[in-house]
Amino acid sequence: MTFRRYLLLVLLGLSWTNMGWALEASVDRTRLLLGDSLELTLETVASSRANRPDLSPLESHFEVRASRQLSLISQLDGRTRPVTRWIISLRPREAGYLEIPPLNLNGEQSEAISLMVLTPEQAAEDAGLELAPIFIDSEVDNETPYVQAQVLLTLRVFHSVSLYDDSILSGLDIPDARVERLGEPHNYEQVIGGIRHGVIEARYAIYPQRSGNLEIPAQLFSATILVPRDPGERFSARSGQLMQVRSPSIQLAVQPIPAAFPADAQWLPARQLSLQQHWQPDPEQDLLTGEPLTRTIHIQASGVLASQLPGLNHLGANADPALRLYADQPQLTTELTASGAQAEREDSAAIVAQQGGEYLLDGLTLPWWDIDNDRLEIIRLEPQALRVKSTDSFLTGGPQAAPGDPAEPVALIWPWQLFSAVLALALASSIWLLVRTRRRLLEFVLDSGGDGPVDLADNNPLADLQAACRHNHPAEARKALEAWAKQQDSDGLLHLSQEHPELAVALEHLNASLFGQNPDSWRGKQLWRAVRRVIQEQRLEPEAKASELPDIYPKT
């Protein structure tokens, strides 16, 4: 029983292999005049160059004039295999309905192909004889689109003859519509009615800009075809013939915006759409007045251009007057693929509270029209609550005594206590003098550098910061400061200001000026001195590390 099952599996495998190695036959035309020649193409992946198909069955009705063999590489079932192709020139011996019989090669058999061979008298009465060696087929995915909705146009140029490399397809220009070309045309082969055709396919995305009738005009394709040489003349040269064909025009009935779409929203027809938002820092934690909270809104859509995506980074009509919004330029990206347009829009803005308290940011709503299912879709983002603490609470001290409270009696100070106090005062004075001397030394080193340019090379944030501080431009100074801080510390400006208190104080004054906390005009000298001090301290750190003595015993 096991042997029979194994034998059956082997036979099925052989039969499946033979099906994948079938001998395919095709012709360049199925209707021709008596006396004309046609080309028969045989193709297989199961033959070597030493094997040739048996052409003797053709001799009864056809004259075999010439044949040539080609070795190609083909993709079959995901694997690369060698392909052998024979191109055979045949001339019918008689008029009427003829059949190219099945041909054999290594036990494989091709299918029969029927031909119609006409006499000159029959050809004069039969208009179907004039088969074009080149023709164009065009189609759209939707003939009744909505206004501004994407329509995919596909143009296919079929040719049953060889072409030179000078083929040209005219440009597509449609009034009252925007046209985007979806990549470069690609080539492949297709058998139609037993005839092998080369196909040149081009795709376009069309966006009608008004409702009503819209005509996609005919496209002109120009190419030079290769005329076969005369078999009777052995050394005759091949020649070319210029041919031009036009595609059929297509009429579109463009629909207006549907009544179900909200009238106060921007019209957005798409195939797919997603909406996301990100916060920096986390909006659930407490914020301080003047501290920026950055919100980034990201929209992804297919079937639309990036210019069609609306901007959503706003506070809303019911926003508290104490909130301010500082928006950056939106980032728009459109990628054109064979399946249509893929669009992205990213909006980033800083939200700043000028007063402490609790705030509620309105939720976001984005309506769009699903053109595949012809229905309204709405995406919503929930409202966001904010808790903001006033910076005034950090400036007040601890509890103070009431004005009417009696003063406590002062304890008697003994001599040893007085001596300890004098000693502590002397120690404090020494430390103060030491700190003062070191500070003056640093100031001397900093002042010796002056306000001269540090490095005026292009794209140097330190030079930009120096120029912004010199001209008292707070916005440019903040931008250059952030760029310089990223070069000094991977964690950015926040971490750098935590390590250098003087820089933190200068940064606080800069933020207060930018976000409306400080009514006085900003001066950049304080910030520039703080930055110079950070640079000097960073230069002294390697010298301090180098002065340390190495360990006596090496670490293992």
Side-chain angles (χ1 to χ4, degrees):
M1 186 67 181
T2 305
F3 176 74
R4 292 181 179 178
R5 181 176 300 176
Y6 176 77
L7 181 59
L8 178 60
L9 291 176
V10 171
L11 292 176
L12 287 175
L14 290 176
S15 63
W16 179 260
T17 304
N18 291 337
M19 290 176 62
W21 289 359
L23 181 62
E24 297 182 1
S26 62
V27 293
D28 60 347
R29 49 182 170 165
T30 58
R31 298 169 63 88
L32 69 159
L33 275 172
L34 182 62
D36 290 348
S37 299
L38 74 153
E39 286 189 348
L40 169 64
T41 302
L42 300 176
E43 185 175 301
T44 181
V45 296
S47 176
S48 64
R49 294 184 61 88
N51 298 328
R52 295 182 59 85
D54 182 14
L55 304 181
S56 58
L58 299 173
E59 296 177 356
S60 58
H61 297 291
F62 299 92
E63 175 186 353
V64 181
R65 310 199 63 183
S67 66
R68 62 182 186 272
Q69 180 178 343
L70 303 175
S71 296
L72 308 173
I73 299 298
S74 175
Q75 292 283 342
L76 185 62
D77 298 332
R79 293 176 292 177
T80 302
R81 297 182 181 179
V83 174
T84 305
R85 179 181 296 178
W86 292 269
I87 301 177
I88 305 160
S89 178
L90 302 177
R91 176 179 291 179
R93 298 182 183 273
E94 57 189 27
Y97 286 97
L98 301 182
E99 181 181 78
I100 297 178
L103 302 178
N104 295 310
L105 176 65
N106 296 334
E108 299 301 328
Q109 193 175 64
S110 65
E111 295 183 357
I113 300 177
S114 298
L115 303 176
M116 181 61 183
V117 183
L118 302 179
T119 63
E121 294 77 12
Q122 293 174 332
E125 301 175 357
D126 189 356
L129 174 65
E130 300 191 9
L131 299 175
I134 303 177
F135 63 93
I136 302 182
D137 178 34
S138 60
E139 63 177 3
V140 293
D141 63 340
N142 188 5
E143 295 183 353
T144 58
Y146 286 102
V147 61
Q148 298 181 358
Q150 176 182 268
V151 179
L152 295 180
L153 169 65
T154 304
L155 292 176
R156 297 184 183 92
V157 180
F158 297 87
H159 58 93
S160 58
V161 294
S162 299
L163 303 179
Y164 284 94
D165 295 335
D166 60 350
S167 58
I168 299 176
L169 183 62
S170 62
L172 183 59
D173 185 14
I174 306 176
D176 299 323
R178 180 171 179 176
V179 180
E180 297 289 343
R181 187 172 182 176
L182 303 179
E184 296 296 326
H186 65 283
N187 301 272
Y188 57 92
E189 289 187 349
Q190 183 177 351
V191 178
I192 303 175
I195 302 177
R196 185 180 300 275
H197 288 77
V199 184
I200 304 174
E201 182 176 294
R203 295 173 67 87
Y204 300 87
I206 302 174
Y207 300 88
Q209 298 301 306
R210 63 172 180 83
S211 58
N213 294 327
L214 181 67
E215 179 183 5
I216 301 177
Q219 298 300 290
L220 177 64
F221 178 78
S222 302
T224 303
I225 65 174
L226 181 63
V227 178
R229 68 178 63 178
D230 187 358
E233 298 182 9
R234 184 176 179 181
F235 299 102
S236 62
R238 295 195 175 190
S239 60
Q241 178 183 353
L242 178 64
M243 294 195 65
Q244 292 184 338
V245 292
R246 291 185 179 273
S247 65
S249 61
I250 300 177
Q251 297 290 332
L252 300 180
V254 183
Q255 305 180 65
I257 300 176
F261 196 82
D264 57 346
Q266 179 176 331
W267 168 241
L268 182 58
R271 297 189 183 279
Q272 292 180 345
L273 191 140
S274 63
L275 175 63
Q276 296 178 341
Q277 70 175 350
H278 304 282
W279 299 88
Q280 181 63 33
D282 186 0
E284 300 298 332
Q285 67 183 15
D286 293 343
L287 304 173
L288 298 177
T289 55
E291 179 182 2
L293 173 64
T294 302
R295 176 170 66 177
T296 303
I297 299 177
H298 191 74
I299 306 176
Q300 286 183 315
S302 62
V304 296
L305 303 173
S307 58
Q308 296 178 260
L309 300 177
L312 298 178
N313 225 338
H314 52 78
L315 294 177
N318 301 323
D320 194 287
L323 294 178
R324 295 289 186 269
L325 182 74
Y326 303 92
D328 295 335
Q329 290 292 331
Q331 303 295 326
L332 305 178
T333 304
T334 300
E335 182 181 1
L336 300 177
T337 65
S339 59
Q342 307 291 329
E344 295 186 15
R345 179 184 177 119
E346 184 174 281
D347 291 275
S348 182
I351 302 175
V352 180
Q354 295 184 327
Q355 298 177 4
E358 294 185 357
Y359 302 91
L360 183 63
L361 299 179
D362 294 343
L364 298 179
T365 301
L366 178 59
W368 63 286
W369 193 267
D370 187 347
I371 60 177
D372 288 336
N373 300 310
D374 197 18
R375 65 186 181 189
L376 174 66
E377 299 285 350
I378 298 178
I379 300 180
R380 292 183 173 88
L381 295 179
E382 297 298 326
Q384 179 63 51
L386 303 178
R387 296 188 303 272
V388 182
K389 292 184 177 181
S390 175
T391 54
D392 296 338
S393 60
F394 295 94
L395 302 179
T396 58
Q400 300 178 357
D405 293 344
E408 297 182 357
V410 180
L412 182 62
I413 301 178
W414 297 98
W416 64 271
Q417 293 174 323
L418 180 61
F419 175 75
S420 299
V422 172
L423 184 61
L425 180 62
L427 180 60
S429 300
S430 301
I431 295 176
W432 178 78
L433 289 174
L434 180 62
V435 172
R436 182 182 179 184
T437 303
R438 183 176 182 274
R439 181 176 300 175
R440 288 187 174 182
L441 178 61
L442 289 176
E443 290 179 355
F444 174 77
V445 175
L446 291 176
D447 293 338
S448 63
D451 292 336
V454 180
D455 186 1
L456 296 181
D458 293 338
N459 299 324
N460 185 359
L462 188 59
D464 297 339
L465 178 59
Q466 181 187 22
C469 292
R470 178 178 299 173
H471 297 90
N472 301 320
H473 294 164
E476 298 178 2
R478 176 59 187 261
K479 183 178 179 181
L481 181 63
E482 291 181 351
W484 173 79
K486 289 182 179 178
Q487 294 180 351
Q488 308 302 316
D489 195 315
S490 59
D491 294 332
L493 180 60
L494 180 61
H495 186 263
L496 193 64
S497 62
Q498 292 176 353
E499 293 183 349
H500 302 278
E502 186 174 351
L503 179 62
V505 174
L507 178 61
E508 183 179 355
H509 287 289
L510 176 62
N511 289 336
S513 176
L514 284 173
F515 302 125
Q517 286 294 106
N518 190 0
D520 298 333
S521 60
W522 179 77
R523 294 293 181 266
K525 184 176 181 181
Q526 180 186 12
L527 177 60
W528 178 244
R529 292 179 64 85
V531 171
R532 296 283 299 184
R533 187 177 300 279
V534 172
I535 296 175
Q536 183 63 29
E537 292 178 0
Q538 289 178 345
R539 292 177 179 174
L540 294 177
E541 286 180 0
E543 299 177 0
K545 293 182 179 180
S547 62
E548 296 179 359
L549 294 177
D551 295 338
I552 299 178
Y553 301 100
K555 297 181 180 179
T556 59

